[in-house]
Amino acid sequence: MFRLVSTYRSRHISESLPLFQARRTLFSTSVNVLQRTSDEDGDKRIDFDRLFKSCNRLHLAKLLHALVVVAGKARSIFFSAKLVNVYAYLGNVSFSRRTFDQIPNKDVYTWNSMVSAYVRTGHFREAVDCFYQFFLTSGLRPDFYTFAPVLKACKNPLDGMRIHCLVLKLGFEWDVFVTASLVHMYTRFRALGNARKLFDDMPVRDMGSWNAMISGYYQNSNAAEALDVLNEMRSEGVLMDPVTIVSILPICAQLDDILNGMSIHVYSIKRGLEYDLFVSNALINMYAKFGELAIAQKVFDNMVVRDVVSWNSITSAYEQNDDPTRALALFYDMQLSGISPDYRTLVSLSSIVAQLGDSWNGKSVHGFVMRRGWILKDVISGNSVVDMYSKLGDMSSAGAVFEALPVKDVVSWNTLITGYSQNGLASEAIEVFDMMQKEIAPNQATWVSILPAYSNIGALQQGMRVHGLLVKSSLYLDIFVGTCLIDMYGKCGKLDDAMSLFYEVPKMTSVPWNAIISCHGIHGHAEKALKLFREMREERVKPDHVTFVSLLSACSHSGLVEEGQWCFNVMREEYGIEPILKHYGCMVDMFGRAGHLEKAYNFIKDMPVKPDASVWGALLGACRIHGNIDLGAFASERLFEVDSENVGYYVLMSNIYANIGKWEGVDKVRTLARDMGLRKTPGWSSIEANNKVDVFYTGNQSHPKGEEIYKELRNLNAKMKSLGYVPDYSFVLQDVEEDEKEHILMSHSERLAIAFGIISTPPKTPIRIFKNLRVCGDCHNATKYISKITEREIIVRDSNRFHHFKDGVCSCSDYW
């Protein structure tokens, strides 16, 4: 697929030719210059200025250095400083320093050159040390050129403040160039008050000063203040330059202010800046954030010159707006144009391949990154490959790439944790998180990644410990972290705690509203979910498609058909949100659960888009609940056409046949699944007790407390029967004797977990169970009896919703 690397048979020759040609070029240049100057001036003077300009490789710099020595210019401050700069530009600061150390009488320009060389090559600590050596030992006075690079090199605010003191002491505080550098330095350390005071006190401001203040506010997430500075700048009659435009366009995207962004686009056209490479790239990125791909494409098409950033911007525009096919086509066009991809190209390409679900080409991307050596040299490339494999569901490959990374930053750990969590491997995600804490400090994204893992397995105690850590750091008030905490408490059965957190976090966007509405929905509190939606509308918070998925799901679980239809109409007519397949699936599920199977089927027929597996699956599930075998068989045929490899649908159809005793139908469906190599997902239930999560599978007898568990189950069974419990053998999907059927029911995973909870926790305390599949009808009935016998509240979360059992009654009112 990816023709990314050309191969040559004469590799060694091709590698040697550029070196030979370069040396020949430098020699020819020197000879020509010598001949020309000899003819014109009568003496053999070398045009070193021309040679320095033509020096673009390290070995050429060394040859030129030798020529300087031979010509007797090595002790010249002018030539030595130029050599320092040349070596720095070519990335070899060690040669810069050795050349610098050979200069006997250094002047300010030479010291400035050495400090700049360190900064240019990323040796910031050495740059600051060199500046202090210059100031303390040379006896020279720094000039205004000295401070810009050294302020850029400061990696902590203390160094920056020390140098600021020197600026004041030496009288450079009114120099516009130095003050702009100080403004930039303070904004990097989030000291916006200091930066703004310096900016306001400047008697004269140049473009660099305005741009430093604008970009400083933006980089510190103060977009509104950045726009205020822009407005102040325009009111003073200062015109925006390309740097200003590039700084302000991302702010418009952040504030969702497309009108301001378009006005700046118009300004750039009027000022003749629309063809500036950096401005065009920024415009593409801005329009991509607004989803205006047609305008972004037009900007790209009108560009006179395109670099790799231009191609990356337009490719990621389509990738980030869910059009991976077009994004991939643009990647091919980029290759045809002769532009070589960089590691940022591969970040987008990895996401494109993941969106397309293309595992084969995922391997091609991985191979290309390996051949370029980017995984060893650049952690971003490695992280993108880990993310790609995670989204493709190949966690073994994701883990292998992660282990091979020579350097793992916080993003590397977060990516792997998220991958495990989103692929249903919550225990593995928690294990990686525990390892991470020993290596590197978690950040905001880490908490957003790990909290859903605790939610998935119901690890409430571990989630509460994380909450404690977040309270200490005040991160729990962050909108994304706070939303994850709301979701965690809601999905662990602590709805009151979820509501308390909801009232604390900022609620200006739909994100926290969606979380709390969803939590009430899965607990069966559809009326409360609808009330929250009305409050959301009163607060003028705009709902999104996720809001309506949560609302429709809540109405479905509670049988509120009319309310669900109202939500569906409001979504389309008031908010202009076009339904997606998830919305259609919720509507079919809502009609089907309520017994309106014909209405559900007619709704599917009237859909403007082709139904997917989720829609037909909802209808099949409703047919199982209401025993409609004919419509169920029809729905299963449609399901097998669109998703023939999901074993869950075969199990549903098999259950429909088993419920009415059609064992030949059961055998037919099971044989079909077996012939396709499909295996049923094993049912499991988990319970957290004594700060440990125990997982039970159906029929599990290997638990250390297995004998005690089964003894407790037999005792409970006897007590339940004395209260009128009769086992419902229709939920045993094997054709076996009744005694065996009763043992199979008693060995279901949720009952094993409940019995373990009874013997492992104090009497009359709540028990929380988490199940990966839908709880069976007999276990649902049995749990009502157990809650009454043990005088406990038993909270069960299955794959669909929560069930709160107390005093022999379930919160779902048997509508599930």
Side-chain angles (χ1 to χ4, degrees):
M1 170 190 170
F2 303 115
R3 297 182 297 278
L4 295 168
V5 178
S6 301
T7 55
Y8 299 93
R9 292 182 179 177
S10 305
R11 182 176 177 183
H12 297 296
I13 295 174
S14 64
E15 288 178 350
S16 302
L17 277 173
L19 182 62
F20 171 77
Q21 290 168 349
R23 288 176 175 169
R24 186 186 65 184
T25 301
L26 182 65
F27 177 77
S28 301
T29 303
S30 302
V31 170
N32 291 337
V33 171
L34 280 168
Q35 288 177 342
R36 192 188 68 194
T37 53
S38 176
D39 292 340
E40 293 174 357
D41 302 331
D43 61 350
K44 295 184 178 180
R45 288 186 294 107
I46 302 172
D47 189 347
F48 280 103
D49 184 56
R50 185 176 175 188
L51 290 177
F52 273 106
K53 288 179 180 178
S54 65
C55 197
N56 56 8
R57 293 188 183 179
L58 183 59
H59 64 275
L60 296 180
K62 292 177 182 179
L63 291 172
L64 179 56
H65 193 166
L67 189 60
V68 168
V69 172
V70 170
K73 306 288 186 181
R75 300 181 69 83
S76 164
I77 292 178
F78 174 76
F79 283 105
S80 296
K82 292 197 78 168
L83 284 169
V84 168
N85 288 326
V86 165
Y87 282 129
Y89 277 115
L90 296 174
N92 196 314
V93 74
S94 63
F95 276 103
S96 292
R97 183 71 201 205
R98 287 162 68 180
T99 305
F100 173 79
D101 288 339
Q102 296 299 316
I103 302 173
N105 298 309
K106 304 175 181 70
D107 61 2
V108 174
Y109 173 73
T110 315
W111 283 100
N112 290 350
S113 296
M114 193 63 241
V115 172
S116 298
Y118 278 127
V119 174
R120 195 175 296 117
T121 53
H123 294 77
F124 299 123
R125 184 67 257 170
E126 291 84 348
V128 174
D129 291 342
C130 186
F131 167 78
Y132 285 137
Q133 183 187 1
F134 165 33
F135 183 73
L136 297 172
T137 66
S138 70
L140 300 172
R141 186 176 187 272
D143 61 13
F144 58 87
Y145 286 115
T146 309
F147 292 100
V150 76
L151 285 168
K152 183 179 179 181
C154 292
K155 301 305 288 182
N156 62 74
L158 185 58
D159 278 332
M161 292 172 74
R162 284 172 178 163
I163 294 171
H164 188 182
C165 290
L166 292 177
V167 168
L168 295 173
K169 183 178 180 180
L170 296 172
F172 287 109
E173 68 271 23
W174 302 124
D175 183 273
V176 66
F177 185 58
V178 174
T179 306
S181 300
L182 283 166
V183 168
H184 182 70
M185 182 271 294
Y186 278 119
T187 59
R188 282 197 295 119
F189 296 122
R190 307 182 69 87
L192 294 176
N194 292 348
R196 186 61 199 240
K197 187 175 187 308
L198 278 167
F199 179 78
D200 290 339
D201 290 343
M202 292 177 72
V204 179
R205 300 173 187 142
D206 64 354
M207 280 307 304
S209 311
W210 289 103
N211 291 338
M213 200 67 244
I214 290 170
S215 64
Y217 273 128
Y218 167 66
Q219 288 164 7
N220 286 279
S221 303
N222 291 337
E225 289 85 347
L227 284 181
D228 289 342
V229 175
L230 176 68
N231 293 332
E232 183 184 347
M233 169 182 157
R234 295 169 99 172
S235 68
E236 292 189 13
V238 180
L239 299 176
M240 292 186 288
D241 66 358
V243 177
T244 318
I245 294 172
V246 170
S247 299
I248 212 71
L249 287 175
I251 296 171
C252 297
Q254 185 178 330
L255 293 174
D256 199 24
D257 187 356
I258 191 170
L259 291 178
N260 211 349
M262 295 182 81
S263 71
I264 292 171
H265 188 182
V266 171
Y267 171 88
S268 67
I269 293 172
K270 288 181 177 178
R271 302 290 302 174
L273 300 175
E274 78 273 23
Y275 296 118
D276 181 273
L277 180 63
F278 300 105
V279 170
S280 295
N281 291 342
L283 284 167
I284 292 169
N285 286 325
M286 181 195 70
Y287 284 120
K289 294 290 191 302
F290 291 123
E292 298 289 345
L293 296 181
I295 305 177
Q297 184 69 56
K298 189 173 182 181
V299 172
F300 178 79
D301 292 339
N302 290 336
M303 291 179 72
V304 178
V305 178
R306 300 178 186 132
D307 63 359
V308 67
V309 177
S310 313
W311 286 99
N312 289 348
S313 298
I314 193 65
T315 303
S316 65
Y318 284 98
E319 172 254 317
Q320 291 168 9
N321 284 277
D322 302 322
D323 191 352
T325 304
R326 174 61 181 153
L328 188 59
L330 282 163
F331 170 72
Y332 289 140
D333 292 342
M334 173 184 174
Q335 288 186 287
L336 292 173
S337 72
I339 300 289
S340 297
D342 63 5
Y343 72 93
R344 294 188 185 278
T345 315
L346 269 296
V347 170
S348 292
L349 190 58
S350 299
S351 178
I352 292 165
V353 169
Q355 287 184 45
L356 292 170
D358 193 343
S359 299
W360 177 260
N361 283 322
K363 300 287 185 184
S364 298
V365 173
H366 186 187
F368 177 69
V369 173
M370 291 292 290
R371 287 194 298 273
R372 288 288 180 98
W374 285 343
I375 281 185
L376 299 177
K377 293 185 291 187
D378 180 72
V379 70
I380 296 175
S381 299
N383 293 344
S384 66
V385 175
V386 173
D387 182 62
M388 176 191 71
Y389 279 126
S390 298
K391 288 176 178 174
L392 290 170
D394 186 357
M395 288 311 302
S396 61
S397 296
V401 174
F402 174 81
E403 291 296 333
L405 293 177
V407 177
K408 300 176 180 70
D409 62 4
V410 68
V411 178
S412 312
W413 291 95
N414 292 348
T415 303
L416 190 64
I417 291 168
T418 303
Y420 278 125
S421 183
Q422 292 179 349
N423 282 281
L425 301 169
S427 298
E428 288 81 352
I430 294 169
E431 184 180 341
V432 173
F433 173 67
D434 292 339
M435 292 167 55
M436 174 189 179
Q437 289 182 293
K438 300 173 185 175
E439 301 287 336
I440 194 168
N443 65 2
Q444 176 206 35
T446 313
W447 307 119
V448 173
S449 300
I450 194 59
L451 284 168
Y454 292 132
S455 304
N456 289 340
I457 63 171
L460 177 61
Q461 297 300 320
Q462 296 181 55
M464 289 174 72
R465 280 197 296 273
V466 169
H467 186 188
L469 294 172
L470 293 170
V471 169
K472 289 180 181 178
S473 62
S474 297
L475 266 177
Y476 75 103
L477 294 176
D478 175 88
I479 187 170
F480 298 107
V481 175
T483 299
C484 287
L485 282 168
I486 292 168
D487 182 71
M488 187 271 294
Y489 279 112
K491 289 181 177 176
C492 288
K494 302 279 284 184
L495 198 53
D496 290 342
D497 291 336
M499 280 299 295
S500 297
L501 266 170
F502 172 72
Y503 288 122
E504 289 188 59
V505 301
K507 294 180 283 293
M508 287 84 73
T509 70
S510 63
V511 176
W513 291 95
N514 292 347
I516 199 66
I517 288 172
S518 174
C519 288
H520 280 87
I522 62 175
H523 280 270
H525 305 324
E527 294 86 355
K528 178 63 176 176
L530 289 165
K531 182 183 176 185
L532 284 163
F533 176 61
R534 287 190 286 271
E535 289 178 15
M536 180 181 181
R537 282 155 60 94
E538 289 169 5
E539 295 286 336
R540 300 189 181 279
V541 177
K542 185 178 178 182
D544 56 20
H545 71 279
V546 177
T547 315
F548 288 101
V549 169
S550 300
L551 284 168
L552 292 171
S553 178
C555 293
S556 173
H557 288 307
S558 298
L560 303 182
V561 177
E562 290 184 8
E563 291 82 350
Q565 289 177 292
W566 174 79
C567 290
F568 191 77
N569 292 331
V570 165
M571 175 181 70
R572 291 190 301 176
E573 295 168 9
E574 288 193 30
Y575 293 101
I577 299 173
E578 285 301 313
I580 59 174
L581 286 165
K582 285 184 179 180
H583 299 120
Y584 289 117
C586 287
M587 291 296 289
V588 172
D589 186 62
M590 181 181 67
F591 290 134
R593 282 178 188 274
H596 307 314
L597 294 178
E598 186 175 348
K599 193 171 185 178
Y601 177 58
N602 290 332
F603 183 84
I604 294 174
K605 289 197 296 184
D606 293 338
M607 282 171 53
V609 294
K610 184 179 178 181
D612 69 348
S614 67
V615 176
W616 290 115
L619 182 62
L620 180 60
C623 291
R624 186 195 64 78
I625 293 170
H626 298 287
N628 191 324
I629 190 169
D630 294 330
L631 186 57
F634 176 80
S636 67
E637 289 174 8
R638 304 288 83 75
L639 261 174
F640 299 155
E641 288 174 3
V642 295
D643 189 3
S644 61
E645 296 185 0
N646 189 323
V647 69
Y649 303 134
Y650 293 87
V651 173
L652 266 177
M653 195 62 219
S654 172
N655 291 355
I656 293 175
Y657 284 123
N659 285 342
I660 59 172
K662 283 198 170 186
W663 299 107
E664 68 279 4
V666 173
D667 292 338
K668 181 180 178 182
V669 173
R670 289 181 178 177
T671 300
L672 182 61
R674 189 165 50 249
D675 290 344
M676 293 188 66
L678 304 177
R679 296 181 63 186
K680 179 184 175 183
T681 303
W684 58 260
S685 298
S686 68
I687 178 173
E688 188 178 26
N690 303 319
N691 295 322
K692 181 186 174 187
V693 177
D694 283 85
V695 179
F696 295 88
Y697 289 87
T698 298
N700 189 337
Q701 296 186 355
S702 60
H703 194 275
K705 292 189 176 183
E707 290 186 15
E708 296 176 60
I709 291 170
Y710 278 98
K711 181 180 178 181
E712 182 65 28
L713 284 171
R714 286 191 291 271
N715 291 337
L716 288 170
N717 225 30
K719 292 177 181 178
M720 288 190 298
K721 286 182 177 180
S722 69
L723 294 175
Y725 164 71
V726 178
D728 188 346
Y729 297 136
S730 67
F731 290 96
V732 178
L733 305 179
Q734 293 97 335
D735 189 11
V736 294
E737 299 296 326
E738 286 196 0
D739 289 346
E740 182 64 21
K741 288 182 179 180
E742 185 171 352
H743 178 74
I744 290 172
L745 287 174
M746 192 174 69
S747 301
H748 278 186
S749 65
E750 53 265 58
R751 295 214 205 167
L752 296 174
I754 290 170
F756 174 76
I758 291 171
I759 65 176
S760 302
T761 58
K764 299 185 180 181
T765 57
I767 295 174
R768 290 181 173 81
I769 307 295
F770 299 86
K771 183 172 173 61
N772 68 324
L773 304 177
R774 185 178 183 272
V775 65
C776 87
D778 185 72
C779 288
H780 187 269
N781 189 33
T783 307
K784 289 193 284 186
Y785 281 98
I786 295 171
S787 70
K788 187 172 184 179
I789 292 167
T790 59
E791 299 181 27
R792 290 177 184 255
E793 181 182 9
I794 302 174
I795 303 159
V796 179
R797 189 189 82 192
D798 67 7
S799 59
N800 288 332
R801 57 166 296 159
F802 269 91
H803 301 267
H804 294 257
F805 299 92
K806 192 173 183 180
D807 299 325
V809 179
C810 180
S811 61
C812 73
S813 302
D814 295 337
Y815 186 87
W816 54 286

